[in-house]
Amino acid sequence: MTLNSADALFADRLAQRLPPDTLRAPEPRYLAEPRDRVQGQAGILALPRSAQDVSAILDEASRARVPVVPYGGGTGLVGGQVMHDGPLPLVLSLERMAAIRAVYPEENVLVAEAGAILADVQAAAREAGRLYPLSLASEGSCRIGGTLGSNAGGVNVLRYGTARELCLGLEAVLPDGRIWNGLTRLRKDNTGYDLRDLLIGSEGTLGVITAAALKLAPLPAAMGTALIVVPSPEAALALLALARAIVGEAVSAFELISGMGLHFLAETLPDLRQPWPAPPEWCVLVDLGLPRGLDPAEVLQDLFGEALEQGLASDGLIAQSQAQAMDFWNLREHIPEANRRIGSVSSHDISLPLGAVPDFIAAAPQALARLGAFRINCFGHLGDGNLHYNVFPAQGVARGVHDGVRDEVRRLVYDLVHRMGGSISAEHGIGRDKVNDLERYGDPVKLAAMRSIKAALDPQGILNPGAVLATG
C-alpha cells in the first residue's frame, strides 16, 4: 500500500532513529486474524529489537499521531491485532524481542522478553526444573506479551490462575515513548497504584509490554489424567468438589466436554482416536499434579470409585501412560479445529459463577430454539466457570442460512449470561469484535474510569485505537 506524503515523512523520520531493517512493508500475515472475519491494514511494519527501539517508535508515532497496533503471535480471536479502518497504522511486532533474559530457579522466577513464544518459556522453565503453568492451545505460536496483554487463561487457571496472576513485574513503553522499568521480581511491593495490573489485560491500548518477570512453580512429582463420563453438568461440578476434597489444589485442570464436541471430532477428524464407540452426552477431562508419595493412578481410582457410589459418574478411563494422557488431551485440544471445520453461526467465550453453569447450559438451548434449529457445542474450563458456547446450524444446513439471526443469537446468549451474573469475555478479551458488547453490558462507572485512564496515558489515542473502548 502506498503511503501518503505525511506517512512517508513519518517513516523517514522514524527510519533515522532506528537500526537498519527495523521497518518494512507489511506482509499479509500481519493483517489477518485466525477467523478470517476481518482484513487489517497497515502502512508500516516495525520489528524492534529493544525497548529503546519501541520507545523511539512510540515517541515518533505520538508526535505524528500515527496509530500503532501491537502484534504478538497473531492468535487472538477478537480482532485486537488487526485494524481494518481509519488511518493507516504502524504494526509493531515484538517477534525479534524473544530472549529469555534470566531464570532464577530458587526464586521461582523467569524473565522473558515480550516476543518469546509461550512454548519456549515453558521449555526454559522445565530445563531449570520448574513449571511455567500457563497452557493454551496456541502455545506454540502465541507470545508472552500477547498473553499478558490479553490476560490469557487456558486450562490451568483452576490451580495457577490467569496470566495476570503469573506475573510479578513488567518492562513497558508508554504511548509517549517513556520506558517504565517495572521489571521487579518482588512478591511484595505495596508502593501505590499497580501499573502492572493496569497494563495486563489492556490489549495494547495503554502501553507496549516489552519484557516480564514471570512466576514459576515446582514441577509436580507425578501427573495423572482421566476421562470420566458424567450424567450432567451438575454432576460434573459435584465431581470437581469431590476431587478437591480428596486432593485439594492438586487438581490442575478440569475440562467439560460435550457429546456434540466428540461427534464433531468424529465427523471432521476421524483419525483422532476416541475412547467410546458412542460419545457420551457429557464427560470431564481431569488432570492432577501430585507431590511425592502419591500415586496418581490410585488417587484417580479412588476418585472414580467414590463418584460411582454417589452417582456422579458412569464410566471412565485412567491414562496408563503419558502417551495415553496425550491422546485424551488431543481430543480436547482439537475441538476448536473441529468447530472451525463445521462452521459456527456464532461463538461465545463466556464465564459464569460456578453454581450458575448448569442453569445456563439448560436454559440457553430453549431460548435459542425460538430463533431456529441449532446444534450446540458447549465445552471449556469448568473449574473456573469458563465455557466456550458455540452455536452451529443443524445437520446438513449451511451456515449462511442463519446469517440473518447471527446477531440475535449473540445477543440472546449474552443477555442470559449477563442476567446470571457472568461475563461476555472470559479469556479472549474484548479486541474490536466485542467493543459494542462491552458498551452494552459493562458497568457504566467502570467504563467511564477506563476512558479516563486511556485519556490520561494515551491522550493522542494512538495505541490500538478501536480496541477495547469505542472511539469517537
Side-chain angles (χ1 to χ4, degrees):
M1 189 173 291
T2 303
L3 300 180
N4 62 36
S5 57
D7 288 337
L9 182 60
F10 162 71
D12 288 342
R13 287 200 309 267
L14 192 53
Q16 293 173 21
R17 297 185 60 179
L18 295 168
D21 196 35
T22 301
L23 304 180
R24 296 182 183 176
E27 301 168 32
R29 65 188 177 97
Y30 296 99
L31 307 178
E33 47 86 28
R35 294 183 177 179
D36 293 326
R37 289 180 176 167
V38 178
Q39 178 64 38
Q41 58 170 358
I44 306 170
L45 170 67
L47 299 162
R49 292 179 171 86
S50 68
Q52 289 70 31
D53 289 351
V54 176
S55 173
I57 292 166
L58 293 188
D59 178 43
E60 289 293 342
S62 181
R63 294 172 190 272
R65 297 194 176 188
V66 171
V68 175
V69 178
Y71 190 92
T75 61
L77 298 177
V78 288
Q81 72 274 47
V82 289
M83 183 173 164
H84 64 278
D85 58 10
L88 288 179
L90 176 149
V91 172
L92 178 62
S93 172
L94 280 297
E95 65 196 73
R96 286 177 171 171
M97 298 179 60
I100 307 296
R101 291 187 183 175
V103 183
Y104 304 90
E106 69 285 355
E107 298 181 19
N108 282 324
V109 176
L110 180 150
V111 179
E113 292 183 336
I117 291 175
L118 174 54
D120 293 339
V121 171
Q122 295 168 337
R126 283 195 301 271
E127 288 175 11
R130 296 293 185 268
L131 172 72
Y132 181 60
L134 187 67
S135 181
L136 313 170
S138 60
E139 61 195 29
S141 54
C142 69
R143 299 179 186 273
I144 287 298
T147 66
L148 291 167
S150 60
N151 188 28
V155 299
N156 289 330
V157 171
L158 173 64
R159 181 170 185 177
Y160 297 103
T162 63
R164 182 187 306 280
E165 293 160 287
L166 295 172
C167 180
L168 293 171
L170 295 174
E171 174 189 88
V173 183
L174 299 184
D176 61 4
R178 289 178 295 166
I179 299 174
W180 173 47
N181 295 298
L183 204 57
T184 178
R185 308 198 308 271
L186 299 175
R187 293 172 187 266
K188 285 187 174 181
D189 182 9
N190 198 4
T191 54
Y193 302 151
D194 196 335
L195 296 184
R196 171 199 59 183
D197 273 355
L198 192 59
L199 291 176
I200 294 173
S202 67
E203 301 186 45
T205 62
L206 300 178
V208 176
I209 295 169
T210 52
L214 304 171
K215 290 183 187 177
L216 306 181
L219 283 166
M223 298 289 297
T225 303
L227 267 175
I228 300 177
V229 176
V230 295
S232 65
E234 292 95 335
L237 281 177
L239 179 62
L240 172 61
L242 177 62
R244 299 185 88 169
I246 293 173
V247 296
E249 297 306 310
V251 183
S252 299
F254 198 90
E255 299 289 298
L256 181 69
I257 299 173
S258 72
M260 187 63 71
L262 296 177
H263 280 294
F264 282 0
L265 286 171
E267 181 178 341
T268 63
L269 298 165
D271 292 337
L272 272 181
R273 287 182 291 177
Q274 295 211 27
W276 298 288
E281 186 174 0
W282 296 103
C283 63
V284 293
L285 176 58
V286 185
D287 239 14
L288 303 182
L290 300 173
R292 293 178 185 174
L294 292 177
D295 182 337
E298 290 182 5
V299 172
L300 286 167
Q301 189 61 54
D302 289 345
L303 172 64
F304 181 63
E306 290 196 37
L308 279 175
E309 290 179 7
Q310 296 182 30
L312 304 179
S314 59
D315 196 0
L317 293 167
I318 298 171
Q320 300 301 305
S321 65
Q322 181 62 28
Q324 191 174 23
M326 289 180 65
D327 285 344
F328 291 173
W329 273 104
N330 267 336
L331 290 174
R332 165 61 182 87
E333 297 296 355
H334 279 85
I335 291 174
E337 173 61 18
N339 285 347
R340 188 188 67 79
R341 296 188 183 196
I342 295 290
S344 72
V345 176
S346 185
S347 300
H348 316 93
D349 163 48
I350 58 175
S351 64
L352 293 147
L354 288 187
V357 167
D359 292 339
F360 173 85
I361 291 175
Q366 299 176 23
L368 287 167
R370 299 196 299 268
L371 300 177
F374 300 106
R375 292 178 293 173
I376 294 167
N377 185 9
C378 174
F379 68 103
H381 319 304
L382 184 63
D384 53 56
N386 178 191
L387 298 178
H388 299 301
Y389 196 83
N390 301 328
V391 180
F392 297 83
Q395 182 77 36
V397 176
R399 177 172 59 175
V401 170
H402 298 291
D403 284 349
V405 297
R406 181 176 181 271
D407 289 344
E408 292 181 73
V409 169
R410 180 175 174 138
R411 176 70 60 83
L412 187 153
V413 170
Y414 289 160
D415 280 353
L416 184 58
V417 167
H418 187 64
R419 286 200 300 272
M420 290 186 169
S423 170
I424 62 165
S425 179
E427 63 179 358
H428 292 168
I430 298 298
R432 291 176 175 80
D433 185 49
K434 293 186 177 182
V435 167
N436 291 333
D437 298 320
L438 182 61
E439 291 290 322
R440 176 178 175 84
Y441 300 104
D443 179 83
V445 174
K446 177 182 177 180
L447 287 171
M450 288 170 62
R451 293 188 189 100
S452 296
I453 292 167
K454 172 70 171 174
L457 291 181
D458 186 15
Q460 306 294 348
I462 66 161
L463 267 186
N464 221 4
V468 183
L469 291 170
T471 56

